[in-house]
Amino acid sequence: MENQPKIEPGLGSDDHSNMEDMSIHELVSVLRVAFLTQDFDRVEDVLVTKYKKLQTEILHLQEMVELEKLTRFQAEEDLRNRVKKAQNNYESLLKEVKKNTNLTDRNIIVELREKNNELELEVSKLRKLKEQWSWKKNNEASVDPWITDFEDKDEMNDDDNVEQGLFRTNEPPIKRCKTAQVVAQTRGAAVDAAHSGHGHSSASLSRECAARYAPIGEKSQENDKVYPEEEVIMIDSAVEPPQDAQEEMARQNKGKRKMVATNISSNSFDNFRFISLVHQERYSKFLAHRKFMSEKNFHLEGKKFLDIQAMIVARGWVELTSFAKEASGALAKEFFANAYQGPAKEDGNNKNDLIQFTSFVRGKKVAFDEKIINQLFGLENFEQCSFEAREAKGFYIDYQEILSTLCRPKKDWVRNNCGTPIRLHCCDLTPVPKAWASFVLHTLLPCSHTSRLNIQRANLLTAILKGEPVNVGRILANDLWDTANYSSPTSYINHASLISKLCERVGVYSKKDEEMVKPALLITAQWIEKI
């Protein structure tokens, strides 16, 4: 037999070169069949090298995580500093304005406002007097032709010619007498109606008419017929016209009394404060005694609820969330009365079908469209409003999204008998949504029921909290118009501070003795923590 080569235990040269690429399981398998010490040493070196490599990678990843945490912390700190800086700038600017506005300037402004109001009242009185004078002049002009004709004939002394013209006909004397009497009655009644406003009594005019036509009573005989004398009644040396003439004059005076009564009723219309009598009656019947829903402000200081402060600054709502102040309720009621457009016709061909965002207060036009309101608060005029987009979904609203955004866990909608969600209870909201809900229910879409949110207000609140674009001017303008045209006589009226701000824009200010509406309690950090 030939001698076969003896296989020594251990690893070959090829195994040594591939050891770096082996896995741990493969290296353990090599050790199971190895008997040489140097094989154990080589496997140990490979394992140590791999361990160090993995440890280096772990340290590198830890450094990246720490760097990311530091970057995030710096970003949050930068945001806090920006919020604090903006708040400090606002407070310093407010202090500087208050400091520069001394007491003398304020007194001058108050005096000028009072003088302006006095002048406006005087102008309104003059307008009323002018209208009364114009009506009186027009009323007199309607009967002046009769008076002029009558007086001209007196001056020309044509009475005899008129009477001769009457008696020169071939008619019987009694017929001619009655014809003259009718002329006297008609002209006398007309002169009585015209002269009653000039200080002439009815009795004196009656005597004048009767005396002018008294000669018509005579005896005459024609064709063997005797015509009796026309009866004329003499009382206290004054001639009293016949009964039918008295009835005619009574009818004239009765019509004149009706006209005077109508004029007195029209004079009670305050054309300085209201556009028409319809708007004045709407004020007295629907608005004069209604109560107000007060607006609310945010007032957050320090490091509490920085997310709300950051949201206010990011949206540019600093002015919007702090503008509410003591405002005139009389101005607001007058604003809503004159903003009324009346019901639209069913055929759709009525000018009232087009919504007009204008009103009148103390004789001045006050516009309240979305662009003007956004301009007042320095807000962007979004064409695409997320709130309106959510409302347009109708029955396809994502109720679960609203519920998870606003409410605490395990809370649900209040549903109707069909199981459809209809509203949320404010007590089920988390603290931040509850604070914004209070602002919405008092300032943006006011409602007297502040303990619950309907679908509309829940949509608006969700859009605000998710940072979506909201056209505040359009929301406020539509709510003002709806309050003026569709609100019930028993509901509250809203937006007193907003209307005061719109009136001040056109130079209309409140008076000292007017009904004033105070803002509601501030939304502070303590108030949010308490609820």
Side-chain angles (χ1 to χ4, degrees), residues 269-295:
F269 165 56
D270 189 350
N271 61 349
F272 176 67
R273 294 180 59 198
F274 302 102
I275 301 175
S276 67
L277 189 60
V278 173
H279 295 85
Q280 180 173 331
E281 290 178 352
R282 183 168 181 81
Y283 174 87
S284 59
K285 292 181 180 179
F286 295 98
L287 295 168
H289 305 292
R290 287 170 65 179
K291 297 180 181 180
F292 279 89
M293 186 69 187
S294 301
E295 292 139 305

Side-chain angles (χ1 to χ4, degrees), residues 268-509:
S268 62
F269 165 56
D270 189 350
N271 61 349
F272 176 67
R273 294 180 59 198
F274 302 102
I275 301 175
S276 67
L277 189 60
V278 173
H279 295 85
Q280 180 173 331
E281 290 178 352
R282 183 168 181 81
Y283 174 87
S284 59
K285 292 181 180 179
F286 295 98
L287 295 168
H289 305 292
R290 287 170 65 179
K291 297 180 181 180
F292 279 89
M293 186 69 187
S294 301
E295 292 139 305
K296 263 194 175 186
N297 290 333
F298 273 100
H299 187 71
L300 300 174
E301 296 179 339
K303 297 183 178 181
K304 293 184 178 181
F305 298 100
L306 292 176
D307 49 352
I308 297 180
Q309 299 183 46
M311 187 181 298
I312 292 173
V313 174
R315 283 188 174 273
W317 286 10
V318 176
E319 176 67 18
L320 177 66
T321 56
S322 60
F323 80 97
K325 63 178 182 180
E326 189 177 35
S328 170
L331 286 180
K333 291 178 180 178
E334 187 176 331
F335 172 92
F336 283 124
N338 289 321
Y340 176 68
Q341 287 186 235
K345 293 182 179 179
E346 294 181 358
D347 57 6
N349 297 323
N350 186 23
K351 65 180 181 179
N352 291 338
D353 293 339
L354 301 175
I355 295 178
Q356 299 175 358
F357 294 98
T358 55
S359 182
F360 287 84
V361 179
R362 309 256 165 99
K364 292 190 177 182
K365 183 178 179 181
V366 181
F368 58 96
D369 58 87
E370 60 182 88
K371 292 183 179 179
I372 288 178
I373 294 177
N374 283 330
Q375 184 180 1
L376 279 178
F377 297 111
L379 304 177
E380 186 174 352
N381 194 37
F382 294 107
E383 286 297 330
Q384 301 295 330
C385 178
S386 176
F387 164 65
E388 293 179 345
R390 288 177 174 273
E391 284 288 287
K393 292 181 180 179
F395 294 105
Y396 300 100
I397 294 174
D398 190 348
Y399 296 105
Q400 188 59 38
E401 178 199 13
I402 297 175
L403 192 66
S404 60
T405 303
L406 305 182
C407 295
R408 292 181 284 126
K410 299 181 180 180
K411 297 298 180 181
D412 196 7
W413 291 88
V414 177
R415 302 173 184 270
N416 59 14
N417 295 333
C418 299
T420 304
I422 55 176
R423 62 176 176 269
L424 291 172
H425 288 303
C426 289
C427 60
D428 295 337
L429 306 182
T430 55
V432 172
K434 189 178 290 186
W436 280 107
S438 181
F439 181 73
V440 169
L441 289 168
H442 284 82
T443 305
L444 296 183
L445 287 176
C447 177
S448 58
H449 299 287
T450 57
S451 61
R452 62 193 186 189
L453 282 174
N454 61 5
I455 301 295
Q456 180 192 30
R457 293 174 176 85
N459 275 327
L460 176 57
L461 185 56
T462 303
I464 292 173
L465 291 173
K466 283 185 169 293
E468 298 171 353
V470 176
N471 192 330
V472 176
R474 189 178 301 167
I475 293 171
L476 292 175
N478 289 334
D479 196 61
L480 286 170
W481 195 90
D482 290 343
T483 303
N485 289 274
Y486 293 134
S487 59
S488 76
T490 58
S491 63
Y492 283 68
I493 49 180
N494 320 305
H495 304 296
S497 296
L498 175 60
I499 294 171
S500 178
K501 197 174 183 70
L502 290 168
C503 291
E504 290 175 0
R505 176 178 171 272
V506 295
V508 178
Y509 300 93

